[in-house]
Amino acid sequence: MKPNKGNATPLNLTGIIFLACLVILTLGLGILGFSSVYVANPEVAYPVLTRWFDVIYSTIKLFSLLSSPADDELKHWAISAARLTAACSVFFSIAFATIYAAGSWFKANVGVRFYKRHFVIFGLNEESKYLIDDLIKQNKKVVVVESDHANTLLPEYKKQPVTILLGDSSQLAIQKRASILNAHCMVAMTGCDLENLAILKALVEAPYKPKLHCHIAIENVMSYKLFEPNAFYAIENIKKLSTGLLVNIFNKNEQIAINLVAAMKLGSNGDTASDTAQPVSILLAGFGAIGVAILRELLLMAHFCNHKKAKIVILSPEPNDFFVTHHQVLANCNGNGLDLWDIEFVTSEQELQAPSSFNHIIACDQNENLALKSILRLYDMCTISQMRETDSSTTFHYLSMLKHDIKHTQIQPFGSLESTLNGSALLNNKNETLAEKSHHLYARAKLGLRDLSDEEVNQRIELHDAQSQDSSAWLHWVNQPLFKRRSNFTEKRHIPIKLLALGGETPIQTLAGANFNAKQDSIDLPYLDEFSDLDFNVIYAWMDEIKTELGLDNKEITQRIHALARVEHDRWNAFHVVNNWRYGASKNEVLKTHDCLLSWQQLEQKRPDTIKYDYKAVYHIPESLALLNDKA
């Protein structure tokens, strides 16, 4: 069956056409045969019109299967053929109607047991339907498991080419009915974190060990704590209980925030390299769940080469508990602790001073009409002091999850659920591909496998992890703790912001044609010689491209490398602080303490042996750019 548009019944078009052909053939043969008997026969005394009525009646009567070939006076090849096609059409229509009527039952109770490499979606709701619809468009086999028999979306999707199973998703029996052991992947997005985790728990504790990609939706980012060390859902624990499960966690609001901050090109409309420049400032209007996610992403990303603290103002008339749940952010902003940001909450637009001075203004009220109303009002406030036609120094963004675009050159929508919750975004997230590829290069170098193919390297890595009892020594990307994966992903997302100090996107565009055999010259690259796993040719080719594009001399290049290493440490500090880590005498993942959570100056004094890793992160940038240009 092929997917249809709207609410049309998804009948099998091929079957209908075949049945129609049988009926037409029967009618044609019947008329031909009976006309030869009744009309063309001169011995029949009835009027011609009466004889034609008999022809039509006898032809239609064929479908009753009462006409017998034993009648000698009706012997004619066309009549015999019509009897055969009539019988075929009757029995085919009965079989077709039976299959159609019992099709959903058959698929749910018999057919699904033979599915392989299909997609199992737990939860049918206003969010999961975007993923389901996208998979249908791709002609994928989809099984939807829903616990609510009164779900208002069920009638619509029972008409779609998907298999619907009703039952408790957390029960292994229901999961087995969905042929979960043979599935390509499963996605749990029921709208309830506890239910999603219960679905994963049933799989983890099952006696079966399927090789299965598990994508688990988490609505509350505080639930990430359940995937940390000593928790049941820690990757280390899951991999020991069920070695074949590949677990990925996603949060819709967080994904919206990541896409927004990447699209708005944070800091690109200001000077982020000069020590005398004004800090990058962002206004966030509205502070619901998506607003919190955007603030978290801004806290992770808003760190620039000139080390000017970003100024973030949140316009929220309602009280909130952000600093309660993110207590370490409060301890390290506004002149406190590591002093990573300036954060201010205001309750009304009257408290805003010079809104036109903001680099970015974001309206994220989850009521789209209110978000649009808010951004238009703020835009008007800004254009009072800016040139309405030509000044684009401030970027404006409003939340539009239903993908409504007002087609304005300066005001852009963000947060489309259609693009956030489709198959590519959830099941094959390109944003995380770079972090995974980069980690793969690290694992390849760690095992000394530089000359082997990717497939051979993957096999060796899997063998290494299977033989290693120490989970901290595991090298496969999917075996890494969730916190480490997220840390690597965050580092890669910050690369475009670092590149603002190196000519913006120019290095990305030119590295593809760079001479990777460029010879080392007199550029002083601190700590470079301490890392044998770096690709020196790519690094020096990158340096050469930057010098050519920006006209920098060797000394200026070295100064910018120092600045980039320092901002990388700021970013690393921010990632840990946003996740409520704090300074401690030693690193302890359970207590969330780290002995490197220090300012740059303190790090130089107390931990000079670790500074080199901030430089190493900078030297990984050209390697990442090369991966971006690798179309394979």
Side-chain angles (χ1 to χ4, degrees):
M1 289 186 184
K2 298 192 177 188
N4 15 289
K5 299 177 182 178
N7 294 321
T9 304
L11 289 173
N12 190 312
L13 185 60
T14 303
I16 294 176
I17 293 174
F18 181 71
L19 178 60
C21 290
L22 285 176
V23 171
I24 292 172
L25 185 60
T26 300
L27 293 174
L29 291 170
I31 291 173
L32 174 63
F34 285 116
S35 64
S36 299
V37 174
Y38 293 117
V39 179
N41 189 348
E43 298 179 1
V44 178
Y46 299 120
V48 174
L49 181 61
T50 302
R51 282 182 273 173
W52 275 111
F53 283 154
D54 288 339
V55 168
I56 296 173
Y57 169 76
S58 299
T59 301
I60 295 174
K61 188 179 178 182
L62 289 171
F63 293 102
S64 69
L65 304 184
L66 297 177
S67 177
S68 172
D71 300 328
D72 291 335
E73 67 277 11
L74 299 179
K75 286 291 185 181
H76 190 280
W77 70 268
I79 296 176
S80 297
R83 288 192 183 101
L84 177 61
T85 56
C88 291
S89 63
V90 169
F91 281 105
F92 180 83
S93 61
I94 293 173
F96 185 76
T98 302
I99 292 174
Y100 174 67
S104 59
W105 179 91
F106 181 84
K107 284 196 301 180
N109 292 276
V110 180
V112 71
R113 298 180 185 275
F114 300 96
Y115 282 8
K116 291 185 178 180
R117 306 294 296 170
H118 56 291
F119 296 79
V120 181
I121 314 298
F122 293 99
L124 178 60
N125 48 59
E126 292 298 329
E127 294 181 354
S128 66
K129 72 177 186 179
Y130 290 98
L131 173 60
I132 297 169
D133 290 345
D134 188 48
L135 293 174
I136 290 174
K137 289 179 182 177
Q138 299 178 46
N139 292 321
K140 302 292 187 182
K141 284 185 178 179
V142 181
V143 178
V144 178
V145 183
E146 172 58 35
S147 59
D148 182 7
H149 292 244
N151 189 316
T152 56
L153 290 175
L154 283 174
E156 175 185 348
Y157 281 91
K158 283 182 177 179
K159 297 176 184 178
Q160 297 290 343
V162 299
T163 301
I164 305 289
L165 296 181
L166 296 175
D168 186 350
S169 302
S170 64
Q171 296 297 316
L172 186 60
I174 294 295
Q175 296 181 10
K176 288 181 65 179
R177 277 187 59 196
S179 194
I180 194 77
L181 303 180
N182 297 319
H184 170 66
C185 80
M186 63 82 97
V187 184
M189 47 191 314
T190 63
C192 172
D193 287 356
L194 291 177
E195 188 172 348
N196 292 339
L197 292 172
I199 293 169
L200 177 60
K201 183 173 182 288
L203 268 176
V204 172
E205 293 181 333
Y208 314 99
K209 310 298 178 188
K211 189 169 184 179
L212 179 69
H213 288 266
C214 302
H215 302 269
I216 311 299
I218 295 297
E219 296 291 322
N220 181 2
V221 294
M222 292 297 107
S223 296
Y224 288 157
K225 296 177 183 294
L226 301 176
F227 294 86
E228 294 175 354
N230 287 355
F232 175 83
Y233 298 99
I235 300 299
E236 173 188 357
N237 189 45
I238 289 176
K239 297 298 291 186
K240 287 180 178 178
L241 293 173
S242 188
T243 56
L245 295 185
L246 312 177
V247 181
N248 182 51
I249 310 302
F250 68 92
N251 175 271
K252 174 200 71 178
N253 296 333
E254 186 175 70
Q255 194 59 48
I256 288 174
I258 290 171
N259 294 341
L260 166 65
V261 174
M264 64 191 270
K265 298 183 178 180
L266 180 63
S268 61
N269 57 347
D271 183 356
T272 61
S274 171
D275 294 338
T276 59
Q278 292 295 316
V280 172
S281 57
I282 307 108
L283 173 61
L284 198 60
F287 204 57
I290 292 180
V292 171
I294 294 172
L295 177 57
R296 281 173 55 93
E297 181 67 6
L298 291 172
L299 296 177
L300 296 175
M301 294 291 108
H303 305 279
F304 306 99
C305 195
N306 59 4
H307 312 298
K308 296 281 187 178
K309 291 187 298 177
K311 179 182 179 182
I312 303 174
V313 178
I314 300 99
L315 175 58
S316 174
E318 302 295 331
N320 63 83
D321 62 352
F322 182 80
F323 283 144
V324 175
T325 56
H326 296 77
H327 47 83
Q328 288 304 306
V329 172
L330 180 61
N332 291 279
C333 70
N334 300 339
N336 300 316
L338 296 172
D339 196 19
L340 294 169
W341 319 271
D342 283 331
I343 304 174
E344 179 184 1
F345 281 86
V346 297
T347 58
S348 67
E349 293 175 358
Q350 287 71 27
E351 297 179 56
L352 295 175
Q353 296 181 356
S356 60
S357 65
F358 288 102
N359 296 84
H360 308 280
I361 296 180
I362 307 165
C364 50
D365 194 301
Q366 291 184 232
N367 181 313
E368 297 195 7
N369 287 328
L370 293 181
L372 180 58
K373 181 179 179 181
S374 177
I375 202 68
L376 291 174
R377 186 167 57 249
L378 290 166
Y379 173 74
D380 192 57
M381 292 171 65
C382 289
T383 52
I384 292 175
S385 56
Q386 293 179 345
M387 293 295 291
R388 186 182 296 268
E389 297 293 333
T390 61
D391 194 329
S392 59
S393 58
T394 302
T395 67
F396 299 85
H397 312 270
Y398 71 99
L399 180 64
S400 179
M401 291 191 289
L402 297 181
K403 206 177 180 178
H404 295 147
D405 188 352
I406 61 173
K407 302 296 182 183
H408 192 284
T409 55
Q410 284 184 253
I411 304 176
Q412 301 299 323
F414 72 91
S416 165
L417 293 183
E418 183 178 344
S419 57
T420 303
L421 299 177
N422 60 32
S424 296
L426 295 185
L427 310 183
N428 188 25
N429 194 325
K430 300 300 182 184
N431 288 330
E432 295 190 34
T433 299
L434 181 57
E436 183 176 354
K437 284 185 175 181
S438 182
H439 178 81
H440 183 80
L441 290 179
Y442 163 77
R444 177 190 284 266
K446 186 78 173 178
L447 296 178
L449 306 175
R450 289 186 178 274
D451 298 327
L452 297 183
S453 67
D454 286 346
E455 183 177 351
E456 292 173 320
V457 170
N458 281 330
Q459 293 174 354
R460 294 284 292 273
I461 291 175
E462 289 180 3
L463 180 61
H464 169 273
D465 288 4
Q467 295 175 342
S468 177
Q469 298 298 318
D470 180 9
S471 61
S472 64
W474 289 346
L475 292 175
H476 202 291
W477 172 254
V478 297
N479 291 344
Q480 302 306 302
L482 176 63
F483 185 78
K484 185 174 181 179
R485 270 194 256 166
R486 294 171 59 80
S487 177
N488 290 349
F489 182 25
T490 305
E491 178 190 330
K492 300 308 176 187
R493 295 205 306 275
H494 195 256
I495 287 177
I497 295 175
K498 289 187 178 75
L499 290 175
L500 293 175
L502 299 172
E505 296 182 353
T506 303
I508 296 180
Q509 297 167 349
T510 59
L511 192 65
N515 176 16
F516 283 9
N517 293 316
K519 296 181 180 179
Q520 177 177 350
D521 55 19
S522 57
I523 303 176
D524 177 20
L525 298 180
Y527 301 104
L528 181 62
D529 294 336
E530 296 194 25
F531 300 102
S532 60
D533 58 333
L534 293 173
D535 193 328
F536 287 70
N537 287 331
V538 174
I539 294 170
Y540 280 106
W542 184 49
M543 294 293 102
D544 185 62
E545 290 295 331
I546 294 171
K547 287 172 61 179
T548 301
E549 291 293 325
L550 301 184
L552 302 177
D553 58 30
N554 292 344
K555 182 178 179 181
E556 290 170 324
I557 285 286
T558 303
Q559 289 174 342
R560 296 209 180 186
I561 293 298
H562 285 306
L564 287 171
R566 179 180 169 186
V567 78
E568 166 58 21
H569 185 65
D570 289 342
R571 184 212 61 78
W572 183 90
N573 278 343
F575 178 79
H576 285 78
V577 166
V578 170
N579 287 282
N580 282 331
W581 285 59
R582 62 190 187 281
Y583 175 79
S586 61
K587 179 182 176 180
N588 187 311
E589 294 184 0
V590 177
L591 298 177
K592 290 190 173 183
T593 61
H594 206 297
D595 54 344
C596 290
L597 268 170
L598 301 164
S599 68
W600 184 255
Q601 293 77 14
Q602 292 171 327
L603 192 69
E604 289 179 315
Q605 296 171 5
K606 296 183 179 182
R607 294 298 307 273
D609 56 314
T610 63
I611 285 180
K612 61 183 179 182
Y613 295 105
D614 291 313
Y615 286 90
K616 186 178 184 181
V618 175
Y619 299 143
H620 273 309
I621 293 177
E623 182 182 79
S624 299
L625 299 179
L627 289 174
L628 283 172
N629 284 303
D630 181 7
K631 301 302 182 184

